[in-house]
Amino acid sequence: MPEQLTAPLVVSFPFTRSLGPVQSAFLTGLRERVVLGVRAHDGRVLVPPAEYDPTTAEEIHELVEVGTTGTVTTWAWNPAPRPNQPLATPFAWVLVRLDGADTALLHALDAPGPEAVRTGARVRVRWAEQRTGAITDIACFEPHDGPETGHATPHHGTFTDPVTSLTAPARLDYTYTPGRAQTRHLGNLARHLLTGERCPSCRKVHVPPRGACPTCGVAATEQVVVGPRGTVTTFCVVNIKARNLAIDVPYVYAHIALDGADLALHGRIAGIPYDQVRMGLRVEPVWRDGDRHPDHYRPTGEPDADYDTYKRLL
Amino acid sequence: MTPRPRDVAVVAFAQSDHRRATPGLSETELLLPVLREVLDRAGLAPGEADFTCSGSSDYLAGRPFSFTLTLDGVGAWPPIAESHVEMDGAWALYEAWVKILTGEADTALVYAHGKSSAGDVRDVLTRQLDPCYLAPLWPDSVSLAALQAQALIDAGETDEDDLAAIAARNRAAATHNPHAQLRGAVPHGDYVVRPLRTGDCPPVSDGAAAVVLAAGERARRMCRRPAWIRGIDHRIEPHDPGRRDLTDSPSTRLAAERAGAFDAPVDTAELHAPFTAQEVILRKALRLTGDVRVNPSGGALAAHPLMAAGLVRIGEAAARIHRGESHRALAHATSGPCLQQNLVAVLEAELEGEPE
Ligand SMILES: [Zn+2]
C-alpha cells in the first residue's frame, strides 16, 4: 500500500445577500441598539422577524419594538466554544423570548457556569462595541435581575443609512484524500511513470485512473503503464493569464492521447511556438527537477500521427 | 375513477461498513462495492436501471459537483436517466418512487454517500442554517440538538438517565449489525454540550448505501419477498428553531399520517434519530408503543453516514421484510437541525388483500 496522500483544502466563500425590508429594519435596528420584531397575522410578535407570515405566507411588515431583556426558553451549556462562535470562553447557548415577543431568538449567554443557567432565567442584551447591522451586533446575553417589563410598541422601522445587504464570510477546512486509484497514479507520476487502469469489461485503459470505468460502472483494478509518448488530439490557445500562474501567454493546452491509453488527458504544450501546435503532433512529458508530475509536454520530433489513429479519442 | 397507482417495492439493499474515516477511498471507491452488491441482488447490470437517483452534499466533501464523480460507478454511458438531490438519499428514493409511479420507469437505483471525515462536520452543518440570523453565530449541530434535549427535559418528557438508556439500547442492538460503527457497550462519556454527552451523540461516519426499487411483476421477479411501499410523505417546519416547539415533531406526525402509518400497526420502526432525545420525540409523534421493535439495526446512534443515514433506515426496514422478520415496517429520515424536516415511509410484506 503506497503512502496515503492528503492535502489541505480550504473552502472560503463570502456570500453577499440582499435583505428584505423586514430583515433590513431588524439588522439596522441592532446597529442602533433597538430590537425590532414583526407582527404576524395571528397577532404574534416574531423576533427575529420574518418577511412572510409563517402561517399564511403573506408579506408582513408591521414592525414593533420589543425589550432588550427577556426570558430563557431553553439552554445548553457549551464547555468548549468552537472558532467563530459568539464567545471564546465557555457559555450557554440560549433561546431567548424577549419581553414583548412571542418567539425566541438564538444567541449566547455569558454566564459563569451551567449552575448559573436555567430555563426561565432573566437575561438582557449585551451590545457589541462595534456594530455593523448584523446578528453579532448583539455580543451575547448576560444575566439580568428584573421582571418581565416590555411589551411590543409600534415602530416606524426607518433609520438613516439602512443596512440593505449582508456579507457572510465563511471558511471551512477540509483534508482532501484522493483515494486508492489516484494515490497510486500520483505516486507513479512522481517516479516518472504514467499509468492507467484497464476496465475488466470493455478493456479500455483510462488515464488518469479513477478507480472505476465510467462507461461500464465497474471497478477497474488492472494497472497498465502507458506512454510516455502521446498524440495531441485537440488543443486550445490560452490568451488570458491565470492568477498565481507563472506561465506566459499565449500558451497551448491540449488533450493528449498517451500511447496505450483509451482516454485523452490534458496538459500544457511547450518547446514549440504556440501557433505551430497541431492535431496529431507527437509529444512527451517533461519533468522538472523535483516535480511530482509532468510540468508540460514537448514535441518528440516524430512525424505527426495519422488522423485515423486517434480520431476515436476526440 | 382514479386508476390504481402502481405497486412499487424495495427489492434490494446494500450498505458499506460505516467507519470514522476512510482515508484510502475516494467517494466512488466507497460506493462501488455497495452498488455492485445491490445490483447483483436485484439481478441488474450497471446502467440497466430505468432511473438513477442519488443523494449527497458538496459541503461534506468540500468540492462543488462532487456527486458527478460518483457517476463513474453506475455505468452512465450510453446516457442514463439520472437525478441528484443535495439531501439524504431517502429523498432521492422518494423522487425515484414518484418517477416509477408516473410510469416513466419500472426500476430505479437509489444511492447515497457521505464522507464526513473530510471536514469538521459540526462546523460544516452550520452552513445549512439561516444566513442572516443563525449562520453568523456558528451554532453547531450538537449545540442545537442540546437545546432541543434541554427543552424536552424541562417539559418533563425525559431525563439524562432515560437518554443514556436509549443510547445503550441502540448500540446493544447494533452488535447484530456488522456494518455499524459503534456496537455494544459504549461509555456514555462527558458532556459535549450539556445536557448531551458523547454517548447521546451519533458517531461521525463515512459510509454509503444503495437501494433498488421496482414496480409490480418486475419486483416479484427480482425479490422473493419484496418490501412494498405503502406510502411515503415528507414535511418541513420553519428553519428558525425559536419559532418551533422543539419538544414535538408535527412534521413527522403529518408525514406519517399522509404515508398511511397510522392505518395499521407496524411491528418494526427504523428511526433516523441522530441524538438520543430525538428518539423520544419521534416515538411520541409516531405513536410507537412498547411492542414495536425500534431500530433493530442500532439506528443513527450506531452509525451516522450523513446523507446516507436516512436511506439506510429505509433499507434496513426493507431488509427485515425481505428476510421475513417484519410484516409491516415504518422507516423515518430526517434533515436539518432539531428534526426540522422529516420523511416517513411505510413498507409491507404483501399487498392488500393478497395472502401471505
Ligand atoms: Zn469499461
Side-chain angles (χ1 to χ4, degrees), chain A residues 114-184:
Chain A
E115 58 291 331
V117 190
R118 60 179 177 82
T119 295
R122 295 285 295 154
V123 295
R124 66 166 169 249
V125 169
R126 181 191 294 166
W127 295 104
E129 285 186 13
Q130 303 285 327
R131 293 183 307 281
T132 58
I135 192 67
T136 45
D137 288 354
I138 296 175
C140 62
F141 283 85
E142 57 191 23
H144 170 66
D145 219 1
E148 188 161 336
T149 51
H151 53 277
T153 53
H155 195 282
H156 47 78
T158 49
F159 300 93
T160 50
D161 193 18
V163 178
T164 55
S165 73
L166 175 86
T167 303
R171 175 192 159 126
L172 295 169
D173 285 81
Y174 298 89
T175 302
Y176 177 69
T177 56
R180 218 157 28 204
Q182 272 197 333
T183 294
R184 249 188 329 241

Side-chain angles (χ1 to χ4, degrees), chain B residues 161-238:
Chain B
D161 290 342
D162 272 359
L163 299 184
I166 288 169
R169 193 183 37 70
N170 277 280
R171 290 175 186 133
T175 53
H176 306 291
N177 177 359
H179 302 288
Q181 185 177 342
L182 294 182
R183 307 165 66 202
V186 173
H188 207 51
D190 294 328
Y191 288 120
V192 185
V193 179
R194 183 173 169 172
L196 296 180
R197 297 174 182 272
T198 50
D200 292 303
C201 302
V204 176
S205 312
D206 287 0
V211 158
V212 172
L213 301 182
E217 278 312 307
R218 282 298 289 277
R220 287 187 186 86
R221 286 203 298 274
M222 288 172 152
C223 182
R224 202 172 57 81
R225 206 175 137 89
W228 298 102
I229 299 172
R230 300 289 296 161
I232 310 181
D233 195 68
H234 61 91
R235 298 281 147 171
I236 193 165
E237 297 178 36

Side-chain angles (χ1 to χ4, degrees), chain A residues 74 82 119 174-175 180-181 210, chain B residues 29 59 72 118 120 147 154:
Chain A
T74 184
R82 305 171 72 76
T119 295
Y174 298 89
T175 302
R180 218 157 28 204
R210 298 206 294 247
Chain B
E29 290 165 341
Y59 275 81
D72 283 358
D120 197 320
L147 287 166
D154 287 335

Side-chain angles (χ1 to χ4, degrees), chain B residues 13 15 18 169-184 268-272 293-303 309 312-317 319-320 323 325:
Chain B
F13 168 57
Q15 62 185 314
H18 308 293
R169 193 183 37 70
N170 277 280
R171 290 175 186 133
T175 53
H176 306 291
N177 177 359
H179 302 288
Q181 185 177 342
L182 294 182
R183 307 165 66 202
T268 303
E270 279 285 341
L271 305 182
H272 185 187
R293 279 190 305 270
V294 174
N295 289 351
S297 68
L301 286 161
V312 169
R313 305 280 72 75
I314 299 175
E316 289 280 6
R320 297 221 137 227
R323 295 195 297 263
E325 295 164 9

Side-chain angles (χ1 to χ4, degrees), chain A residues 198-204 206 212-218:
Chain A
R198 190 188 303 281
C199 170
S201 174
C202 68
R203 309 298 295 163
K204 282 191 172 164
H206 298 295
C213 174
T215 306
C216 303
V218 298

Side-chain angles (χ1 to χ4, degrees), chain B residues 26-38:
Chain B
S26 69
E27 286 156 304
T28 309
E29 290 165 341
L30 179 66
L31 261 169
L32 264 172
V34 177
L35 294 171
R36 165 60 46 185
E37 187 180 335
V38 83

